[in-house]
Amino acid sequence: MNEAFHNTLTALLAREISDFKTLERCEQLSAGASQETWRIEVTNDDGPALLALRRAQPKLAQDAGVGQIPLEMEATLFQLASDNGIPGPQVRYVLQPGDDV
């Protein structure tokens, strides 16, 4: 992870997670044709915590291709499933273009 990405991600986490302390580690797990998945380890008031970051490839358009849904819709579907008792990841935040992540 380059320094600019680390600094931008740290600032975003501090802004969006009220008890955020430090970004311990950020590891890219996949770099698919259209989306990336990152494992993020942070420290908060309760101690260590694991998060996942899903984002579109930085150089690709944000529109979904054939057979894909936008990440915003993916997050909405995860939240709807959770609201209806279906286990899955908790959506903490949906990246916005101005986040520069």
Side-chain angles (χ1 to χ4, degrees), residues 31-99:
S34 63
Q35 297 176 4
E36 299 174 352
T37 302
W38 296 73
R39 174 190 170 109
I40 300 172
E41 298 175 23
V42 300
T43 301
N44 60 29
D45 288 345
D46 295 328
L50 293 176
L51 304 171
L53 168 66
R54 299 254 303 140
R55 72 175 189 164
Q57 290 282 355
K59 295 185 183 203
L60 296 178
Q62 297 298 314
D63 296 331
V66 175
Q68 299 173 342
I69 61 172
L71 287 169
E72 296 86 353
M73 178 62 71
E74 180 179 284
T76 299
L77 292 172
F78 277 130
Q79 191 60 51
L80 286 170
S82 177
D83 291 348
N84 287 282
I86 300 170
Q90 175 191 8
V91 176
R92 303 284 295 261
Y93 179 74
V94 177
L95 292 174
Q96 303 300 310
D99 293 330

